[in-house]
Structures are given as C-alpha cells and as structure tokens.
Amino acid sequence: MITVTRPWLPSRDKLNKYIDRIYETKQLTNNGCLVRELEERLAKFLGVRHVILVANGTSALQVAYRALNIEGEVITSPFSFVATASSMVWQNITPRFCDIDTQTFTLNAQHVERKINKNTSAIVPVHVFGNPCDVSELAEVASRHNLKLVYDASHCFAVRYNNKSILSYGDVSTLSFHATKLFHTCEGGAIVTDNETLAKDIRNRINFGITGMSQVDTVGINAKMNELEAAMGHAVLDDIEVSISSRKEQVGMYRDAFYDLVRDGYMHLQHIRTGTEENFAYLPVVLNSEVVVEKLDAAFRQNGILARRYFHPSLDTLAFINPLNDQCAVSQEIAKRILCLPLYAGLSSSEQKSIISIIRSILLSDL
Ligand code: T4K
C-alpha cells in the first residue's frame, strides 16, 4: 500500500544511542535530559527563543489558550484538521470561522476584522500545509483590537518566511510532532514563543502548575513529553536534512508533471506565499469537482494507493464545533475538491510515476 505519508524511521543504531541514555539515567519522564536537550537543539535549529515540548499538538493549542487567558470567541480557519477548533470547544471557547483565501488556503485577513466583536479574545490562524498566513495583516488586525494571536503551525516545522522562522510570528506558535509529521516524536508537539515570562508560565502549566517541591502555583495539566518520545525526536532530527531534501525532490517531480494540467485548468496547486522557504510536508492538489476527486480516489485505491482528503469536511459544516453557524463558502468548496498526494522519504520514483500516470489518465479522460 502506498499511503499519504510514512513516518521517518531513523536507524535502530541511531535510536539506541539515545535510548541508552534513558537506561543510564533511569529518567523516563518529568523533564528529563533528553527532553531538555531536544528543546535546546530545536530552538537552535528552528531559530527561535523558547521551545516547550508537550504531549501532542492538540495539548500545545490547549495550553496556549489557557496561558494566554483566551476565552469567549476566537476567530479561526475552517480549513484545518479538526483539532484546531475542537481544542477550543473542549475549553468552552466558541470558534468563529472566517473564510480562507482561494489561492493560499489560509485565513482571509480582510474578512477577519468583520468577525471581531466584544467577545473576541484571539485569532488562531493556521499556516495550512506549511504555507504562511498573511502574518503582517493579521498582526495589524490583532494589535488594532488588542487580541491575542496564536498560530497553529502544526505543519510548519523548519518553514521560514521573510528570512526568519515562521514560528516567530504572533504571541505563540504551536507544532505537532505526530508520527505523520515531517519531524516527529511518535506523539508530541511544542509551544514556541519569544516571551520569556510566558514560556515560564507554560512550563509550569504543562506540569500540573507545580513550581517547587511543595508548591503549586496555578491550574495546570499533564501535557509533558516523555524521554522515549524525545529519544525518537533526537534521532529524527539527526536525519532531518535528508528527509526534507528527498521530499523536495518529490515535490519538484509532482509540480513538473502537473505543469500542463495546471496551465490547461484541470487542477490547481496551493499558491505558496512569496518569501517562503518551504518544508515540503504536503502536496495538495485541487481538482475541478468533487466527482473528479472521488473518481481519482477510487482509481488510486484500485491500485493500492491511499491519498487523503485533507481537510474534508470544512470545519464550518460540523455543527458541534460551529454553534453560531458561520458559513465559509470558499473553504467548503476547496475542501470538497482537494486531495493530498503521497509524499514521504522512501516513496520511489517509479511509485510516484504511477501516481502521476493515474492522475493524468483520470483528469484527461474527464473531458
Ligand atoms: N492542528 C493541525 C493543523 C493538525 O494538522 C493537527 C494534526 C493538529 C492540530 C493536532 O496535532 P496532534 O494532536 O495530532 O499532534 C493525522 C494525524 O493524526 C494528525 O496528527 C494530523 N494533524 C492530521 C493531518 O493527520 P489521520 O487520522 O489522517 O492519520 P492516519 O493514522 O490515518 O495516518 C495517515 C497515514 O499515515 C496512514 O494511512 C498511514 C501512515 N501512518 C500513520 C501513522 C500514525 C504510518 O505509516 N505510520 C503511523 O504510525 O490524522
């Protein structure tokens, strides 16, 4: 089976080198040395000030909302994985969905301002598939209305924008290090911020609010990463350049192969914002109708290929996370017509050629 992604698996020798440390220290969790060292390595590699490792990308969002006192209504994107919005509802925050841009698939910053009311406390845009949002416009809107700005940057490991890490925009950015991500720790995530006081508060909150042997200062939760996950993170980080460059080659091959299909209007690709250094984590294609998507998906399955309809359905169509019934026509339309293609180190060029040939035969036969 060719699946949409496959986790990067470092060599057993490399992983064992880190796991040996756990056997030496006998520290399995609670801020052990592998977690601390991984935080330092990641901060350096990503070019950011504070990286706080957590249990997963969803808890990264939840802790960030809590630490920033986010409540009431939050403006966010309907074109994302469900965790972006369900993490809000879980904390009694009401998501207000604002539509996306047809080309970049990120929040349409001009529409955001219209959704702001007296109950709004934050904006949570998503750099979807690693494509940067309109960060300067969003920063202006947030500052004009005194709102917190939290980027769901789950797809953005190693993405840079205008010569700096995309994670350095906003009050906080969150990452997912799930097994399906470019950089992973099996399960895991991180909260990234430049603000020292906030970083300290977040560190306390992910460990039950405990600040000393007999001291608990605030409401916290258990959102810690453990040492085994950190060991995997170290080993994956050792190989990250290889993993990115192999994806870069594959994305190049897809883009070249789709040149005429895009030119002749059979599909369109996400417009990557100028000034972006990409991480090649996803390769979404937008087809002309849901019928074509279903046809292609069926042809793929017949050939043992499992592409994925990320992100379908559009989150504004889910009543349990959209109590105020916001409607986002662009997101609904893109969600129906999008398909993410297989992309991972280890996908062979002959496998990629057969994926491309199936796409061409379905799209060109659909005249
Ligand atoms: N915000 C955004 C924007 C996100 O995209 C996500 C997560 C989050 C927040 C929340 O972060 P976390 O709390 O998850 O850290 C996957 C992931 O579970 C999820 O992390 C990710 N986004 C989302 C986009 O994709 P599924 O249900 O599509 O995964 P699954 O299990 O179907 O895996 C896809 C393919 O990957 C499989 O067909 C085979 C392959 N695979 C998967 C796993 C887990 C493997 O080969 N090995 C594996 O261990 O959600």
Side-chain angles (χ1 to χ4, degrees):
M1 197 84 185
I2 299 174
T3 49
V4 69
T5 189
R6 285 281 176 210
W8 178 271
L9 286 176
S11 76
R12 293 286 287 272
D13 281 350
K14 196 169 279 186
L15 183 59
N16 280 343
K17 209 179 69 189
Y18 294 105
I19 292 180
D20 285 347
R21 302 260 316 274
I22 301 176
Y23 278 74
E24 282 157 26
T25 62
K26 301 183 175 45
Q27 184 86 28
L28 295 178
T29 186
N30 285 6
N31 207 23
C33 61
L34 290 176
V35 162
R36 292 196 310 270
E37 287 166 22
L38 186 58
E39 286 181 341
E40 277 170 29
R41 278 186 78 188
L42 288 171
K44 201 164 164 207
F45 177 82
L46 298 168
V48 293
R49 281 186 70 193
H50 302 283
V51 173
I52 301 132
L53 289 171
V54 293
N56 52 60
T58 307
S59 56
L61 286 165
Q62 289 174 315
V63 171
Y65 303 151
R66 189 86 196 198
L68 288 165
N69 287 318
I70 291 172
E71 54 188 11
E73 295 184 10
V74 168
I75 297 169
T76 191
S77 170
F79 189 68
S80 185
F81 188 59
V82 66
T84 309
S86 57
S87 57
M88 295 173 189
V89 176
W90 191 265
Q91 292 191 196
N92 289 326
I93 295 166
T94 306
R96 296 305 310 263
F97 294 106
C98 181
D99 218 341
I100 55 167
D101 175 70
T102 52
Q103 304 303 309
T104 62
F105 313 157
T106 58
L107 260 190
N108 189 324
Q110 273 135 30
H111 292 181
V112 168
E113 202 150 19
R114 292 186 219 143
K115 281 260 172 226
I116 297 172
N117 64 40
K118 62 179 182 1
N119 299 321
T120 313
S121 65
I123 309 172
V124 179
V126 183
H127 301 299
V128 72
F129 305 132
N131 195 22
C133 296
D134 187 348
V135 287
S136 51
E137 182 76 25
L138 287 166
E140 275 178 34
V141 175
S143 120
R144 249 197 314 273
H145 296 272
N146 201 20
L147 301 175
K148 297 287 189 298
L149 189 51
V150 175
Y151 283 105
D152 182 340
S154 292
H155 306 162
C156 285
F157 190 84
V159 171
R160 293 175 64 79
Y161 180 60
N162 287 344
N163 299 316
K164 62 176 191 172
S165 170
I166 189 64
L167 306 170
S168 51
Y169 295 88
D171 295 294
V172 158
S173 293
T174 64
L175 286 160
S176 163
F177 297 155
H178 183 259
T180 53
K181 295 295 187 288
L182 165 65
F183 169 80
H184 76 89
T185 55
C186 301
E187 289 275 3
I191 302 172
V192 175
T193 181
D194 277 350
N195 181 326
E196 184 129 17
T197 316
L198 185 61
K200 201 165 166 224
D201 181 50
I202 288 170
R203 283 188 191 287
N204 294 339
R205 286 184 190 270
I206 65 168
N207 186 31
F208 315 99
I210 295 173
T211 53
M213 280 298 181
S214 300
Q215 202 169 338
V216 188
D217 276 357
T218 186
V219 175
I221 197 164
N222 181 358
K224 290 165 281 144
M225 178 177 283
N226 66 54
E227 291 288 278
L228 271 168
E229 289 167 336
M232 178 61 91
H234 278 286
V236 173
L237 189 58
D238 286 343
D239 295 340
I240 197 74
E241 310 283 1
V242 187
S243 154
I244 294 176
S245 67
S246 114
R247 283 166 175 273
K248 182 178 180 182
E249 234 172 78
Q250 291 164 355
V251 167
M253 182 166 163
Y254 277 134
R255 285 178 181 161
D256 288 349
F258 299 151
Y259 175 79
D260 59 328
L261 296 177
V262 171
R263 184 198 57 203
D264 299 339
Y266 291 103
M267 68 159 62
H268 81 263
L269 301 176
Q270 185 182 28
H271 171 75
I272 306 298
R273 209 174 283 281
T274 310
T276 307
E277 288 167 54
E278 298 174 68
N279 66 0
F280 310 101
Y282 293 87
L283 203 278
V285 295
V286 180
L287 307 176
N288 284 343
S289 69
E290 190 168 18
V291 174
V292 183
V293 170
E294 284 165 353
K295 231 168 137 179
L296 180 58
D297 201 24
F300 274 158
R301 282 168 196 264
Q302 270 167 15
N303 288 278
I305 298 163
L306 197 57
R308 288 298 284 270
R309 297 183 67 178
Y310 295 141
F311 288 105
H312 178 262
S314 179
L315 300 180
D316 58 308
T317 64
L318 304 176
F320 58 92
I321 50 173
N322 186 11
L324 299 180
N325 199 23
D326 293 317
Q327 291 295 312
C328 302
V330 176
S331 176
Q332 289 182 24
E333 187 58 28
I334 304 272
K336 278 184 201 154
R337 297 197 277 124
I338 202 160
L339 202 58
C340 278
L341 301 182
L343 181 64
Y344 50 91
L347 179 71
S348 70
S349 69
S350 69
E351 287 171 326
Q352 237 193 306
K353 278 181 193 148
S354 55
I355 293 166
I356 290 165
S357 120
I358 294 167
I359 294 174
R360 295 189 72 83
S361 75
I362 295 290
L363 265 55
L364 295 171
S365 71
D366 199 49
L367 290 168

